[in-house]
Amino acid sequence: MLAVAGIPLFFLESSFGQFCSQGPVNVWRALPIFQGVGVAMVLVSTLVGIYYNVIIAYSLYYMFASFQSPLPWSDCFYWSNSNCSLTPRVCNNTLAANWSEPVIVANMTQTISLSIPSLVALQRSSGLDETGPVVWHLALCLLLGWLLIAAALYKGIKSSGKVVYFTATFPYVVLLILLIRGVTLEGARDGIEFYIGSQSNLTKLGEAEVWRDAATQIFYSLSVAWGGVTALSSYNKFHNNVFKDALTVCLTNCGTSVFAGFAIFSILGHMAHVYGKPVSEVAQAGFGLAFIAYPDALSKLPISPLWSILFFFMLLTLGLDSQFAGIEVISTCLQDAFPERFKSKRSIISVGTCAILFLLGLPCVTQAGIYWVTLMDQFCAGFVLLIAALLELVGVFYFYGGNRFIKDIEMMIGTRSSLFWLWWRACWFFITPAVITVILVWSLLTFRPPSYGTVQYPAWGVALGWCMIAFCLIWIPLVAIWKILCAQGNPWQICHDYVMKGQHLGRNLERNQAMWGGQSSSGLARWRS
């Protein structure tokens, strides 16, 4: 997925943003009917930014809760109810293992690590229908998360760039510490074998949901199809070696994911050894891995508060990094849309955006908050990204012209041989669009309504999920129709400039940059402060 989708799309978007010196909406000024693709990217970044900071709030809460010994999820303390137990017990003639169910069920035991998210952290209700009040400790953590982001982005790319030096490097230190500690534990080998070895469940590769999740993970980790790459690369110098940057970032990113897997599963292997269970029965995905299974595993280690603090602080720094890119997309597009009004008001834009998204995120910290987070994650972060990436490829390489775009890239990085472009042409013109199309169609045909544990979503909740997708995508045809209706000239000229080939970028640097609203020919960084 990295080779056929991740790297080609990252190279495309970073080249696009660097050449145009514009955000994900204004980069389409040469092909106006596709400007709605940029709008869709901004909207999905906004929706994901709303709920993703709730996950940062979870990390903050768990990190603060880790400043006590023993850890609150290591035993049945004051917060627990009668269903909490350290050992299996017989109820109603049924052996109910304490790790068996992810929700509280009457007359059944429940593992401590499953109880604390439900009873304390989330105070989870019975379903999406039961909203309940705001969970105030999560609301305060959510506010703190947004304050941290607003402070880091207060001066735009200048301030966030300095913060990223720490947030991008600190996770490597923590992962290395956790890996060294993990591989020395008994049972670590079983965890690594389950992660990448003889115990891996390769039959999962036959499920469409796995490939959709893989594509979503690649897109998310690389910020592809979100507009983040385009927005951030727009600050590059014009003659920056964008190809070298794209290759380095993509390989480092995925190498980090693989490296992190060894740190995670070595400790999960030890947890499985302690419980006397297969790794497959203690390993979970998504929220369950980060906030249930792994904290439970860390609680079994000596000096467990230290490992827990390091782990959740690492999650916090990783989450902040992701949010920086998302907020940068919104801020960049506002500045591009209203350059005269917002050129010198970057601080106001950043703080205002964070404040609005905080208020919109409050429903996600109610007692039904985790259901809203899961719903938005299931719908917004999957289908919209695939469709936006597909249309981005179609627009650039089939409407604007792939060969012309390659010449634009060579204007920045210098002329390359035809052999150099052979693989990229194959990916951009055929392989990547085909892979995305297959995953998209396969995912739609095998779609299953989302659920949280054993809690099924009501029909109106699923319908709302599809409405969120429609809200992001509807702007693509609307903007295209509006651009055509507002165009001037005869029908043939409109068809040529807006539909067939777009506006010609020209063959000299000054003309290209003037048309795209980009940098001066000296290649200096863009004018935005």
Side-chain angles (χ1 to χ4, degrees):
M1 192 58 66
L2 174 67
V4 300
I7 297 178
L9 284 169
F10 192 93
F11 186 23
L12 162 65
E13 292 192 0
S14 54
S15 301
F16 212 3
Q18 180 173 309
F19 187 85
C20 305
S21 285
Q22 296 289 314
V25 177
N26 274 16
V27 292
W28 292 101
R29 287 197 300 182
L31 197 64
I33 64 166
F34 280 88
Q35 210 158 14
V37 176
V39 176
M41 290 180 178
V42 175
L43 290 175
V44 75
S45 293
T46 303
L47 289 175
V48 171
I50 292 171
Y51 80 81
Y52 193 79
N53 220 56
V54 177
I55 299 175
I56 293 179
Y58 295 160
S59 301
L60 283 168
Y61 176 80
Y62 270 77
M63 185 181 71
F64 293 145
S66 299
F67 282 93
Q68 53 186 305
S69 183
L71 291 172
W73 50 86
S74 63
D75 206 338
C76 293
F77 295 116
Y78 65 92
W79 50 264
S80 60
N81 60 15
S82 59
N83 291 316
C84 179
S85 175
L86 291 172
T87 58
R89 73 184 181 197
V90 176
C91 296
N92 293 342
N93 299 321
T94 302
L95 180 64
N98 60 354
W99 48 74
S100 60
E101 291 292 340
V103 295
I104 299 178
V105 180
N107 298 325
M108 293 187 69
T109 60
Q110 184 182 40
T111 182
I112 297 166
S113 59
L114 293 175
S115 296
I116 193 168
S118 297
L119 297 176
V120 183
L122 303 179
Q123 298 181 14
R124 181 161 56 88
S125 64
S126 60
L128 195 63
D129 297 301
E130 186 184 348
T131 302
V134 170
V135 182
W136 286 108
H137 59 260
L138 288 182
L140 292 175
C141 289
L142 180 64
L143 176 61
L144 178 58
W146 280 117
L147 289 175
L148 291 173
I149 294 171
L153 295 176
Y154 187 73
K155 293 185 178 180
I157 200 72
K158 295 179 181 178
S159 57
S160 64
K162 296 176 182 178
V163 175
V164 166
Y165 281 120
F166 174 76
T167 58
T169 55
F170 180 76
Y172 287 98
V173 177
V174 177
L175 286 174
L176 181 61
I177 294 172
L178 291 176
L179 177 62
I180 294 173
R181 184 67 184 99
V183 295
T184 60
L185 297 171
E186 195 171 3
R189 181 183 180 89
D190 293 333
I192 294 174
E193 286 285 335
F194 178 80
Y195 170 54
I196 182 170
S198 58
Q199 298 182 32
S200 299
N201 186 4
L202 299 180
T203 59
K204 288 285 186 179
L205 296 177
E207 299 179 8
E209 185 178 358
V210 171
W211 288 99
R212 192 196 71 180
D213 290 344
T216 302
Q217 170 60 24
I218 289 292
F219 288 6
Y220 203 105
S221 62
L222 295 177
S223 199
V224 169
W226 301 83
V229 174
T230 305
L232 294 176
S233 62
S234 67
Y235 293 94
N236 288 344
K237 295 181 179 180
F238 186 78
H239 293 292
N240 174 62
N241 191 338
V242 66
F243 170 71
K244 179 181 177 182
D245 288 352
L247 210 58
T248 301
V249 170
C250 292
L251 294 178
T252 302
N253 179 277
C254 287
T256 301
S257 299
V258 174
F259 176 68
F262 286 99
I264 299 296
F265 280 91
S266 60
I267 293 182
L268 288 181
H270 174 67
M271 177 184 174
H273 173 77
V274 171
Y275 282 140
K277 304 292 293 183
V279 180
S280 59
E281 294 189 21
V282 298
Q284 301 183 43
F287 178 86
L289 176 61
F291 298 102
I292 297 177
Y294 205 71
D296 191 15
L298 293 175
S299 68
K300 305 296 184 291
L301 303 179
I303 326 177
S304 56
L306 172 63
W307 308 117
S308 186
I309 292 169
L310 286 175
F311 175 71
F312 287 111
F313 188 64
M314 179 190 70
L315 290 186
L316 172 63
T317 57
L318 290 172
L320 291 176
D321 268 347
S322 299
Q323 282 292 75
F324 291 161
I327 303 304
E328 190 63 40
V329 170
I330 302 171
S331 301
T332 300
C333 289
L334 287 174
Q335 280 194 300
D336 288 344
F338 309 100
E340 298 300 326
R341 182 176 301 178
F342 292 139
K343 179 179 179 181
S344 58
K345 298 180 180 178
R346 186 53 181 263
S347 302
I348 297 176
I349 295 175
S350 298
V351 174
T353 301
C354 291
I356 293 172
L357 294 184
F358 164 71
L359 295 176
L360 293 175
L362 286 178
C364 294
V365 290
T366 60
Q367 291 183 348
I370 188 61
Y371 303 118
W372 288 107
V373 170
T374 303
L375 181 71
M376 296 173 73
D377 182 62
Q378 288 274 338
F379 285 94
C380 295
F383 295 111
V384 177
L385 294 183
L386 294 174
I387 294 172
L390 180 62
L391 291 177
E392 185 176 41
L393 288 164
V394 171
V396 173
F397 292 97
Y398 287 93
F399 284 82
Y400 170 66
N403 292 330
R404 289 199 294 170
F405 184 68
I406 287 173
K407 291 180 181 179
D408 295 336
I409 297 176
E410 289 183 334
M411 190 181 300
M412 296 185 293
I413 67 174
T415 304
R416 296 291 193 271
S417 66
S418 57
L419 186 62
F420 173 86
W421 292 113
L422 182 62
W423 168 251
W424 303 111
R425 287 178 189 271
C427 286
W428 287 332
F429 278 98
F430 175 70
I431 298 176
T432 306
V435 169
I436 294 175
T437 302
V438 169
I439 294 175
L440 182 60
V441 173
W442 194 6
S443 298
L444 289 171
L445 293 176
T446 59
F447 173 78
R448 291 179 297 178
S451 62
Y452 181 78
T454 59
V455 179
Q456 298 297 320
Y457 280 74
W460 67 265
V462 178
L464 183 60
W466 287 112
C467 287
M468 286 189 285
I469 293 178
F471 173 71
C472 293
L473 298 179
I474 192 63
W475 298 98
I476 298 175
L478 289 181
V479 171
I481 294 171
W482 179 67
K483 288 292 183 180
I484 292 175
L485 293 177
C486 294
Q488 297 179 353
N490 58 61
W492 167 249
Q493 184 180 355
I494 294 174
C495 182
H496 182 274
D497 291 345
Y498 284 75
V499 180
M500 293 173 58
K501 287 294 183 181
Q503 302 174 29
H504 197 281
L505 295 185
R507 293 188 177 183
N508 62 78
L509 184 59
E510 290 76 17
R511 184 178 177 185
N512 271 304
Q513 292 167 335
M515 182 167 292
W516 285 98
Q519 306 156 331
S520 64
S521 57
S522 61
L524 296 176
R526 62 185 301 170
W527 52 266
R528 288 203 301 265
S529 58

